[in-house]
Amino acid sequence: MKYHLLIAIFFTMLSSLSADEQVILDKLEFDPARYIDVDELSRGMKGYGLTVFDGTKIEKFAVEVVSVMTAKSAGRSAFLIKVVDEPRFDIAKGVHGCSGSPVFFNGRMAGAMSFGWTFQEEPLYGVTPIKQMLNSYKRALAAETAKADRNKSAQEKLLSPDIYTRLMAPEVLQPQDWQRINSKITFGGLDMNSGPAGSKPLTSGLSIGGLPSGALGSLKEYMPGLTVNTGVFSTDISKQLTEGRPVLERGSTIVIPLINGDIEACTLGTVTEVIDEWVFAFGHSFNGNGPCQWPMATGYIHTFVSGFESSFKLGQAVDIVGTVEADEIMAICGRIGKTTPTTPAKTIVHFEPVGETIEFNMNLVQDESYASTMAVISAIGPAQYRGAMPNLCTVEYNVDLNFGQYGQIHISDISSEYSTAELTSDIATACSLMTSSPWDEVKLEKIVSEIRVNDSSIAADIEKVDISRLTYEPGETITADIELFRYRNEPVKQQATITLPADLKPGIYKLAIGGKRDYLATLSDAQPYRGNADKTSDIVKVLRDRFTHKRNNIFMTIVNNQVNLAIEQKPLGELPASKSMLLLSNARQLMTTQYNEIIESITPCDYVIFGRKQFEIEVTEKKTISKK
């Protein structure tokens, strides 16, 4: 059904084209004078390919057809070539970054080098026919025409709607949610093992420049599909561009910079074909997203690195010159001159033990599938700029996430002994919930982070709690003397208090004393309406509430036994039993939930609190003093 809809949109768009536009589209069709089809190829034919080995210089290398694999039905044909008389390929074998390198026979382009094998013994490559690659422009045009209705189309939901009913839970997103959000972050096509005989696309994965190797290893807990290598640099290469700024042309380097600036996160490959402003590259998909809006940049290759398992081009983006608009299984396709919005990101990191402050400025791709991942990298990457953090460390952070017309979310907290894991979780949760909103298309428009890193731990466990008695009258104050255990340190004494309401009814109550995680669990269980959202503005409201609570607090809570009702996010307070039954009736179309009032106190302290203690207390009738 989706395919037929796409075709209908495409032909509707064609009927409204101007004469000049039609001329351009005619050029995008397969031209036998310019291209050679797989049916004309045979074993042993000699030809050549184009790619960049060093800098921006496009070099020619000799190739020979090994075999032709023609589809028997409507499908994908391919053919195999071997690079001959080229020492660099003899050393490197399969080179990641060669994806898209065009090959020619009898003076006509045949297709793009696109796949190879791990541990291959010779420079053997699979080629995607140019005829199949050119077809990807239709996806770009159809997506442009349907852009106004994209929110109404049947897009895949990244998050289940019921998640937006529990936004105050200690962990809003579960491992399966992270897996779904990042299901396409494989950076190498729809299926890395889907090629002929176990072949793999010649991609470079997600390459990170400007950070030490291994700095982002902790991300894999939240982004299970993430693969990171060091295939790019982030440097000033203006002095090395002695022949001017590079352009996108046959055989040149093409880069998709998901992050660019002081940190660079990108994938790079080779341009196959350029027709007017249209660019075709890779010979396989990036992630198979279909319609997309990614920056498209020229590139510079420092060198290629030969490895035992695989080899890759070490390069970086130079200038953003257009937009990638289609990501299909046979090619990526974009247009030079088209611009796409990016998200400015600034991160300031204070490395307090060495008295150093570093500022990073970046631009992030604005894409629902990558927003949370790139936002996290823009923050924790700089935080780990000096390398992996020690086990016992403290990270204090303030993060402002601006979602344009939908508002701003401020995250201010402190974490100890968890490196950047809790910072990662906070940013990824907020970004994922907002950009996956089931009601609106929300973009992260700006992110500013300030992070302080200290090499000491301020984590403390609640070891023991003493309260003077277990029976109280309404209006009295309960004092808790708390002993905190600190690893390899002397215990610390802390005191916290909570005052009972003067109108609290007699009964047995549970008093809990703990840290932020336990406090959020209490709120989520006792007052579920506080974590419910039924529009995008509610997400912002709930997350603002969630992030006002910090980990270096002691929370004392008592859940009132009296059950009350709330309609959506509006607590109604105590109601007569008859009215409560009417509101809870299945015959009413009201989103009604039960809740309990919470008596609470929050005591700031110098430590990040872990652990929990609970007491059962009795509240008696308030004694009256008789008058004589």
Side-chain angles (χ1 to χ4, degrees):
M1 183 66 184
K2 288 183 181 179
Y3 175 77
H4 293 303
L5 177 61
L6 180 64
I7 294 299
I9 292 172
F10 175 64
F11 282 108
T12 299
M13 181 259 326
L14 283 183
S15 64
S16 61
L17 290 175
S18 68
D20 290 342
E21 290 171 326
Q22 186 61 57
V23 169
I24 294 174
L25 293 189
D26 289 342
K27 293 181 181 179
L28 300 179
E29 297 298 328
F30 183 82
D31 180 2
R34 184 180 177 90
Y35 307 115
I36 185 169
D37 202 356
V38 290
D39 293 337
E40 300 179 63
L41 300 176
S42 59
R43 184 186 295 268
M45 286 183 68
K46 309 292 185 182
Y48 67 91
L50 300 175
T51 200
V52 175
F53 293 107
D54 182 46
T56 61
K57 182 183 177 182
I58 299 171
E59 298 187 46
K60 184 184 291 188
F61 53 91
V63 300
E64 178 182 315
V65 175
V66 173
S67 185
V68 180
M69 298 172 288
T70 304
K72 292 183 178 180
S73 58
R76 305 195 302 268
S77 297
F79 62 96
L80 300 178
I81 62 167
K82 182 164 64 174
V83 179
V84 294
D85 299 326
E86 176 45 66
R88 285 171 291 194
F89 276 105
D90 289 337
I91 297 171
K93 305 297 191 287
V95 181
H96 293 279
C98 276
S99 286
S101 297
V103 293
F104 301 79
F105 297 93
N106 296 338
R108 293 179 290 163
M109 182 188 293
M113 295 167 58
S114 59
F115 60 88
W117 287 264
T118 303
F119 300 114
Q120 62 188 69
E121 292 290 331
E122 56 184 342
L124 187 69
Y125 294 88
V127 178
T128 300
I130 186 63
K131 188 174 186 177
Q132 295 168 180
M133 293 178 64
L134 292 174
N135 196 47
S136 60
Y137 84 91
K138 297 176 182 178
R139 169 78 77 170
L141 288 179
E144 183 178 55
T145 304
K147 186 176 181 181
D149 295 323
R150 283 188 69 187
N151 284 339
K152 300 176 184 177
S153 64
Q155 293 188 66
E156 181 183 9
K157 294 178 181 177
L158 294 181
L159 292 175
S160 172
D162 67 353
I163 286 175
Y164 293 91
T165 65
R166 48 182 173 86
L167 300 185
M168 289 295 283
E171 273 101 23
V172 182
L173 302 179
Q174 302 301 315
Q176 61 268 25
D177 299 316
W178 293 118
Q179 182 71 53
R180 186 172 178 82
I181 290 169
N182 298 285
S183 60
K184 289 189 175 181
I185 303 184
T186 55
F187 302 105
L190 296 174
D191 185 348
M192 290 295 283
N193 297 308
S194 63
S199 63
K200 294 186 178 182
L202 299 172
T203 57
S204 58
L206 177 64
S207 299
I208 305 291
L211 294 176
S213 178
L216 300 176
S218 61
L219 264 184
K220 291 188 177 180
E221 179 181 352
Y222 300 94
M223 289 78 183
L226 183 65
T227 57
V228 176
N229 64 39
T230 53
V232 296
F233 275 132
S234 180
T235 60
D236 181 5
I237 59 168
S238 56
K239 293 181 179 179
Q240 300 183 57
L241 299 175
T242 55
E243 298 181 2
R245 315 298 288 190
V247 297
L248 296 181
E249 56 185 315
R250 290 177 167 185
S252 69
T253 301
I254 183 172
V255 181
I256 301 177
L258 301 180
I259 301 178
N260 68 85
D262 293 330
I263 291 177
E264 190 160 306
C266 68
T267 192
L268 61 83
T270 303
V271 174
T272 308
E273 178 66 298
V274 178
I275 304 172
D276 292 335
E277 75 271 24
W278 289 88
V279 178
F280 301 86
F282 282 22
H284 56 71
S285 66
F286 177 44
N287 271 335
N289 284 16
C292 57
Q293 291 287 308
W294 300 325
M296 180 171 67
T298 57
Y300 180 92
I301 301 300
H302 296 279
T303 188
F304 73 84
V305 179
S306 179
F308 177 66
E309 180 177 354
S310 64
S311 304
F312 60 90
K313 294 182 179 182
L314 188 64
Q316 69 179 85
V318 179
D319 299 313
I320 294 176
V321 295
T323 298
V324 177
E325 300 173 85
D327 176 27
E328 298 217 295
I329 197 166
M330 290 302 180
I332 63 167
C333 170
R335 276 182 277 186
I336 298 169
K338 287 206 68 174
T339 58
T340 187
T342 56
T343 299
K346 179 169 75 171
T347 300
I348 301 171
V349 185
H350 306 279
F351 298 99
E352 295 191 337
V354 296
E356 182 181 49
T357 295
I358 300 179
E359 179 176 317
F360 292 74
N361 290 280
M362 299 146 281
N363 286 287
L364 320 179
V365 67
Q366 276 194 0
D367 184 288
E368 181 178 345
S369 298
Y370 304 99
S372 60
T373 308
M374 298 307 120
V376 167
I377 291 176
S378 76
I380 73 166
Q384 300 193 43
Y385 178 73
R386 297 182 65 89
M389 293 185 178
N391 292 331
L392 304 179
C393 67
T394 297
V395 180
E396 187 175 0
Y397 50 91
N398 288 280
V399 181
D400 286 306
L401 302 166
N402 190 320
F403 295 98
Q405 63 176 312
Y406 299 102
Q408 182 167 298
I409 295 173
H410 179 69
I411 304 173
S412 178
D413 214 333
I414 190 168
S415 174
S416 198
E417 297 190 6
Y418 279 85
S419 185
T420 56
E422 291 176 320
L423 169 60
T424 295
S425 179
D426 285 348
I427 294 177
T429 296
C431 286
S432 298
L433 290 171
M434 287 296 291
T435 58
S436 300
S437 168
W439 303 285
D440 301 288
E441 184 177 3
V442 181
K443 302 290 186 182
L444 176 62
E445 297 193 3
K446 187 177 182 180
I447 174 172
V448 178
S449 308
E450 186 166 11
I451 303 168
R452 295 184 181 276
V453 180
N454 202 302
D455 286 350
S456 61
S457 168
I458 59 168
D461 293 296
I462 296 179
E463 183 79 0
K464 186 170 76 171
V465 177
D466 289 325
I467 58 176
S468 57
R469 49 197 167 90
L470 297 176
T471 303
Y472 296 87
E473 292 182 10
E476 285 194 293
T477 296
I478 302 174
T479 299
D481 293 310
I482 305 166
E483 185 174 290
L484 300 175
F485 170 78
R486 296 187 62 211
Y487 182 67
R488 293 179 179 174
N489 278 279
E490 292 295 321
V492 176
K493 304 289 186 180
Q494 186 79 35
Q495 193 174 83
T497 61
I498 187 170
T499 301
L500 303 176
D503 59 351
L504 185 63
K505 294 181 179 180
I508 304 298
Y509 296 87
K510 290 182 178 179
L511 166 67
I513 303 167
K516 176 180 176 178
R517 179 184 173 81
D518 292 293
Y519 175 68
L520 289 177
T522 300
L523 289 184
S524 185
D525 291 341
Q527 299 181 350
Y529 72 87
R530 291 180 64 168
N532 179 61
D534 55 19
K535 53 184 179 296
T536 302
S537 59
D538 290 340
I539 306 175
V540 176
K541 179 181 176 182
V542 176
L543 291 180
R544 285 175 177 171
D545 183 16
R546 178 187 181 90
F547 291 128
T548 57
H549 309 296
K550 301 184 71 171
R551 296 184 184 91
N552 57 339
N553 287 320
I554 296 174
F555 298 86
M556 296 181 70
T557 58
I558 298 172
V559 177
N560 197 319
N561 298 329
Q562 178 67 43
V563 177
N564 300 317
L565 291 181
I567 296 178
E568 295 179 346
Q569 291 184 317
K570 307 290 185 184
L572 300 179
E574 188 174 344
L575 292 174
S578 58
K579 289 188 177 181
S580 296
M581 290 179 62
L582 285 173
L583 290 173
L584 289 170
S585 170
N586 291 332
R588 294 184 176 272
Q589 299 298 315
L590 293 173
M591 189 172 178
T592 308
T593 56
Q594 296 179 322
Y595 77 95
N596 302 87
E597 293 288 357
I598 297 176
I599 306 159
E600 63 181 51
S601 73
I602 301 174
T603 304
C605 66
D606 296 329
Y607 307 99
V608 172
I609 301 300
F610 295 93
R612 183 174 188 260
K613 297 295 182 183
Q614 185 170 287
F615 299 88
E616 196 172 81
I617 64 169
E618 181 181 5
V619 176
T620 61
E621 292 275 2
K622 189 171 181 118
K623 295 177 182 177
T624 57
I625 301 175
S626 59
K627 296 182 180 179
K628 294 184 179 180

